[in-house]
Amino acid sequence: MKMPEKIILRLLEDAVGKENVSDDESILIAYSRDQYWNFVPPKMPDYVVRPKNTEEVQAVMRIANRYRIPVIPMSSGVNVRGLCIPEQGGIVLELKRMNRIIEINKDAMTATVEPGVTMVEFVASARKLGLRPAVPGAPAVVSPVSNYMLRGVYHHISSIGIDHVLSMEIVLPNGELLYTGSAAFPNIGPYSRFGFGPDLTGLFMGQPGTMGVVTKLTCRMYPLPEAEEWLGAGFNDLSKAVKFVDELMTEKLLASCWLLHWSVPLITMAPSRDLQKLREDVLGGCEWFINLTFESSKGLIDYKRKAVEKIVQKYKPDLIGGPLPMEVGPIKNEWMYPRRIFNWFKFGNYFALAFWGPLTKFEEYHDLGLKFWKKHGLDPEKFSIIAAPTEPYCGKLSYIEMECFYDSTNRAEAESLTAFTSDMTNELIELGIYGWFRPYALAVKASLGKLKGNYVELWKKIHDIIDPNNTMNPGKLWPV
Amino acid sequence: MQGLRDLEKWRKFSYLCAHCRCCSAADYHTLGEYMQICPSGTYFGFESYFSSGKMEVIRGLIEGLISKPSEKLLEIVYVCTLCGACEKNCEEFTLLGEDSGGLTHIFEDARAFLVESGWGPLEKHKEFASSIRVNHNPYLEPHEKRESWTEKSSLRKGSLVYFTGCTSSYRQKEVAKATVKALEAMEEKFVIMGSEEWCCGSPLLRTGQIDQITELAEHNVKALKEIGAKKVITSCAGCYRTLKSEYPKILGAQPDFEVVHSSQFFAGALDKNKLKLTKDVDATVTYHDPCHLGRHMGVYDEPRNLLKKIPDLKLVEMPRSRQNSWCCGAGGGVKSAFPDFATSTAVERLREAEAIGVKKIVSMCPFCKHNLTDAAKLLKNKFEVYDVVELLSKAIG
Ligand SMILES: Cc1cc2nc3c(=O)[nH]c(=O)nc-3n(C[C@@H](O)[C@H](O)[C@H](O)COP(=O)(O)OP(=O)(O)OC[C@H]3O[C@@H](n4cnc5c(N)ncnc54)[C@H](O)[C@@H]3O)c2cc1C
Ligand code: SF4
Ligand code: SF4
């Protein structure tokens, strides 16, 4: 049913209050573009709607479903993949007003939050109780709900894995409510991932707003460690560096152990733009840098350091010391709730192609990436790649990211990066990866027809059952 | 069109905004907690009211994507207090912040563009602009009353000049009186400009109404020259910024007098023992950094040093202070055009003081005092609002 736009506007105003809806172009334009605009072209929504609670979200979803209006949920909008940019207009459902930390339960080691909560708020509240949540290496103004729902990478504590969600409250595309895990059971808390039957929490994760709106999320909490220490290691030989990290991960000695191209720690952590000089001064000119994070009691850290020392003796890094390249004070803060991370943007804009794969294939990923980087005329000096091996380290699970900073005002460079992404997306499937980090249309498109069996088709069918009118962020995942 | 040309130079920067939103929060590493920092974004909520969204609005104006001067557009552009809180967070981390030389310059140019295109400014801004033209002050007050706060005759010759400013002359006269008392206690020879003093032009600069500005700057500089000024003291943080940092740009030359804020002047006097504080002021206060003085001009320590030297006075800091200060809500033409929003921002500041157990809030700008006082009235006067110089004058005896 097509309804005149002004009537839709009135209905939305009735649902959430006049001051929380806008169809004014000077409001809409701020939702038309994000950091990834060179790759996901700007497009304005028709409305921005800011609900305060689950009931208001339900009311908006009913209107959208009845009149077939696209809905794009947005928690913080800091994603670096254009995931909230409307492909077909519609409603950007901005959830920042839903900003309650409903509970942090020290006994149950869980917390329940709404999507408008920021990571920094969450960390600061949890810390008062001696707890902490999983913290992504993203600016801490991001929402834990959208980040966890998309499964992130928690490099400060990759020893706790990638999945921290226990249960969710979801408003389905038709406005009905779904509770997953133990949240569906009466008279008990939402503290268990598994209710009975299939894992519905898992089914709704990793979706770019295409299956419903998460209005509450319950997640695991972790104790604050008694002590933290850092050690930096530099290598010029990549092969040796990979083996070093692999052995450390296998021995389970560290809270995290990231293998980084030299430029990455300097871009994100160091205060100056003169990277080559810093490379000499801080990293002794090494090409690869490994950040080793220890967390536990002081006594246990001493024990772990001794065990690490043996591995260090075996691989003999070209540089060892630290923490590098930052002082302990700032690094502690950065690990707790990142802020300096957006130093990245001091060098221009941030491009990344990220996926999951075994650490032991890292050199192959590197060589392939660099080959295509050069093929597309990109500056090899700017090519970086990182590996974040993550628990459970079964299959040597590792987050891999090819990345660079680039001049987003330079169309030619952006076009080369687009062509690189397109090629690499196909090439990586040929070489072998475990999966894509974050769902987006380009990755789905490249995977269609390549994945074995019915993976993508079944996913699409499940989506169509839940969102038969295709109102949820249409075009962001499945071609329309 | 001049306005568009000025805006066009920011096109590249509008493409550089990373939408990281780090400009929306005070430095949580320093504070240890999450606190909002952008008054307009916090109050109005939609992304366009934050600096990250405003950069998109500016891109929309440059690229012609925003086609009409809607009420919302004018609200978005004019409701920003130009406090610079976003700018301080952005400049530390991003190319946009570092290379643009300040987000607030971009926001001011957007206002000038709206004025040039006939879409702006707001009615209240036009009103004070015409008052400045006629009365040389934005308060619609007759020029002859500029000196009504003092018995002292003005316009003698002298090298030390007190540039009183419109707010201290017409609305916060106690600040002017306290300043004069402190100057007299120093036994300094000084003069006030009286009728030769015109509005410094700050309200016009901030609202994009730049056509009168050269005339104002020329007048004030000429008058100061004729008096024989070598050092000019201002009470108002806005006057200080305008005289010290904008006049040389507007006139293309450095005037041959030094401009100091009263906080700097009196802090220097105390250091050199030229001013004696003999009376106890038994109070616990917190200091509110005026945006024009702190973030825009980097003067954070002197007002605090003054307070610390007042006998018996205890200074306690609010969580958001210095670079992370929460704006009082009045600047950028907001007090006149959006009084409710301005007061609500000031109420949040008073509540922040209350949260640390302090009911006496001190600033060092009569315009901040003006707005914070309005907020205090709204809260049934539970709070007392002062300018630092008023406490200083109490300590003089
Ligand atoms: C410099 C930088 C470094 C980063 N490093 C990391 C890192 O180390 N680890 C990491 O995990 N991430 C990292 N990120 C990405 C991280 O910031 C984001 O949290 C993440 O990409 C999700 O974006 P968001 O939280 O802003 O969600 P949004 O942009 O709001 O949304 C992302 C997607 O989820 C959907 N969505 C949002 N909220 C809901 C909801 N309530 N219900 C249903 N669907 C919803 C949206 O429609 C959209 O498709 C980094 C980002 C930056 C800028
Ligand atoms: S901090 Fe700067 S770059 Fe980041 S969103 Fe704000 S204005 Fe844009
Ligand atoms: S100058 Fe102040 S009010 Fe304006 S956008 Fe920046 S933080 Fe917000």
Side-chain angles (χ1 to χ4, degrees), chain B residues 23 37-41 49-51 54 79-87 104 107:
Chain B
C23 46
I37 193 87
C38 170
S40 71
Y49 294 89
F50 290 94
S51 51
K54 228 174 344 262
V79 87
C80 162
T81 61
L82 299 171
C83 69
C86 52
E87 156 175 306
T104 50
F107 303 158

Short mmCIF file of all heavy atoms in Angstrom, two decimals, chain B residues 23 37-41 49-51 54 79-87 104 107, ligand 3:
data_model
loop_
_atom_site.label_atom_id
_atom_site.label_comp_id
_atom_site.label_asym_id
_atom_site.label_seq_id
_atom_site.Cartn_x
_atom_site.Cartn_y
_atom_site.Cartn_z
N CYS B 23 34.47 13.27 18.74
CA CYS B 23 34.20 14.64 19.15
C CYS B 23 32.93 14.74 20.00
O CYS B 23 32.61 15.81 20.49
CB CYS B 23 34.05 15.51 17.91
SG CYS B 23 32.98 14.75 16.67
N ILE B 37 30.03 16.04 25.54
CA ILE B 37 30.80 17.28 25.48
C ILE B 37 30.18 18.30 24.52
O ILE B 37 30.49 19.48 24.58
CB ILE B 37 32.28 16.98 25.10
CG1 ILE B 37 33.21 18.17 25.32
CG2 ILE B 37 32.41 16.51 23.67
CD1 ILE B 37 33.77 18.27 26.67
N CYS B 38 29.30 17.86 23.63
CA CYS B 38 28.72 18.78 22.65
C CYS B 38 27.32 19.22 23.09
O CYS B 38 26.38 18.43 23.06
CB CYS B 38 28.64 18.10 21.28
SG CYS B 38 27.68 19.04 20.08
N PRO B 39 27.16 20.47 23.51
CA PRO B 39 25.85 20.90 23.99
C PRO B 39 24.74 20.75 22.94
O PRO B 39 23.66 20.26 23.26
CB PRO B 39 26.05 22.37 24.34
CG PRO B 39 27.51 22.51 24.58
CD PRO B 39 28.18 21.53 23.67
N SER B 40 25.01 21.14 21.70
CA SER B 40 23.90 21.11 20.73
C SER B 40 23.54 19.68 20.38
O SER B 40 22.36 19.32 20.29
CB SER B 40 24.23 21.95 19.49
OG SER B 40 25.20 21.34 18.70
N GLY B 41 24.53 18.81 20.21
CA GLY B 41 24.23 17.41 19.90
C GLY B 41 23.50 16.74 21.06
O GLY B 41 22.54 16.00 20.86
N TYR B 49 23.39 17.78 14.58
CA TYR B 49 23.70 18.76 15.61
C TYR B 49 25.07 18.53 16.24
O TYR B 49 25.53 19.33 17.04
CB TYR B 49 22.62 18.76 16.70
CG TYR B 49 21.28 19.24 16.20
CD1 TYR B 49 20.37 18.35 15.64
CD2 TYR B 49 20.94 20.59 16.23
CE1 TYR B 49 19.14 18.78 15.16
CE2 TYR B 49 19.72 21.03 15.75
CZ TYR B 49 18.82 20.11 15.22
OH TYR B 49 17.62 20.55 14.74
N PHE B 50 25.67 17.38 15.92
CA PHE B 50 27.05 17.12 16.36
C PHE B 50 27.99 17.62 15.26
O PHE B 50 27.58 17.74 14.10
CB PHE B 50 27.27 15.62 16.58
CG PHE B 50 26.55 15.07 17.77
CD1 PHE B 50 25.29 14.48 17.65
CD2 PHE B 50 27.14 15.11 19.03
CE1 PHE B 50 24.63 13.96 18.75
CE2 PHE B 50 26.49 14.58 20.14
CZ PHE B 50 25.23 14.00 20.00
N SER B 51 29.26 17.78 15.59
CA SER B 51 30.17 18.31 14.57
C SER B 51 30.30 17.35 13.39
O SER B 51 30.39 17.78 12.24
CB SER B 51 31.53 18.62 15.17
OG SER B 51 32.01 17.53 15.88
N LYS B 54 27.44 17.98 11.28
CA LYS B 54 27.50 19.34 10.70
C LYS B 54 28.46 19.36 9.52
O LYS B 54 28.25 20.11 8.56
CB LYS B 54 27.91 20.32 11.78
CG LYS B 54 27.01 21.50 11.75
CD LYS B 54 27.13 22.53 12.81
CE LYS B 54 27.87 22.25 14.04
NZ LYS B 54 27.03 21.87 15.17
N VAL B 79 22.55 26.75 16.19
CA VAL B 79 22.37 26.36 17.59
C VAL B 79 23.70 25.90 18.21
O VAL B 79 23.80 25.69 19.41
CB VAL B 79 21.27 25.29 17.69
CG1 VAL B 79 21.81 23.89 17.51
CG2 VAL B 79 20.50 25.43 18.99
N CYS B 80 24.70 25.77 17.40
CA CYS B 80 26.03 25.39 17.89
C CYS B 80 26.60 26.58 18.65
O CYS B 80 26.57 27.71 18.17
CB CYS B 80 26.88 25.03 16.68
SG CYS B 80 28.64 25.04 16.97
N THR B 81 27.12 26.33 19.84
CA THR B 81 27.63 27.45 20.65
C THR B 81 29.06 27.83 20.26
O THR B 81 29.66 28.70 20.88
CB THR B 81 27.61 27.09 22.16
OG1 THR B 81 28.44 25.96 22.35
CG2 THR B 81 26.22 26.78 22.66
N LEU B 82 29.60 27.12 19.27
CA LEU B 82 30.98 27.35 18.82
C LEU B 82 31.95 27.21 19.98
O LEU B 82 32.96 27.91 20.08
CB LEU B 82 31.12 28.74 18.17
CG LEU B 82 30.25 28.98 16.93
CD1 LEU B 82 30.32 30.44 16.51
CD2 LEU B 82 30.67 28.10 15.76
N CYS B 83 31.60 26.29 20.87
CA CYS B 83 32.39 26.16 22.10
C CYS B 83 33.77 25.55 21.85
O CYS B 83 34.67 25.69 22.67
CB CYS B 83 31.62 25.33 23.13
SG CYS B 83 31.44 23.59 22.68
N GLY B 84 33.89 24.83 20.75
CA GLY B 84 35.20 24.28 20.40
C GLY B 84 35.54 22.97 21.09
O GLY B 84 36.65 22.47 20.97
N ALA B 85 34.58 22.39 21.80
CA ALA B 85 34.87 21.12 22.49
C ALA B 85 35.14 20.01 21.47
O ALA B 85 36.06 19.21 21.64
CB ALA B 85 33.71 20.74 23.39
N CYS B 86 34.35 20.01 20.41
CA CYS B 86 34.55 18.99 19.37
C CYS B 86 35.92 19.18 18.73
O CYS B 86 36.66 18.22 18.48
CB CYS B 86 33.45 19.12 18.31
SG CYS B 86 33.25 20.77 17.65
N GLU B 87 36.26 20.42 18.50
CA GLU B 87 37.50 20.76 17.80
C GLU B 87 38.72 20.24 18.56
O GLU B 87 39.66 19.72 17.98
CB GLU B 87 37.47 22.27 17.65
CG GLU B 87 38.68 23.03 17.48
CD GLU B 87 38.28 24.51 17.24
OE1 GLU B 87 37.48 24.79 16.34
OE2 GLU B 87 38.76 25.38 17.98
N THR B 104 35.55 25.02 14.40
CA THR B 104 34.65 26.16 14.60
C THR B 104 34.84 27.22 13.51
O THR B 104 33.90 27.96 13.21
CB THR B 104 34.83 26.79 16.00
OG1 THR B 104 36.22 27.01 16.22
CG2 THR B 104 34.28 25.88 17.08
N PHE B 107 32.52 26.11 10.93
CA PHE B 107 31.12 26.38 11.30
C PHE B 107 30.80 27.88 11.16
O PHE B 107 29.70 28.26 10.77
CB PHE B 107 30.83 25.91 12.73
CG PHE B 107 31.12 24.44 12.96
CD1 PHE B 107 31.36 23.94 14.23
CD2 PHE B 107 31.16 23.55 11.89
CE1 PHE B 107 31.63 22.59 14.43
CE2 PHE B 107 31.43 22.19 12.08
CZ PHE B 107 31.68 21.72 13.36
S1 SF4 C 3 31.40 23.80 18.82
FE1 SF4 C 3 30.47 22.95 20.69
S2 SF4 C 3 28.25 23.02 20.30
FE2 SF4 C 3 29.27 23.30 18.32
S3 SF4 C 3 29.36 21.23 17.45
FE3 SF4 C 3 31.32 21.58 18.53
S4 SF4 C 3 30.98 20.76 20.59
FE4 SF4 C 3 28.97 21.00 19.63
#
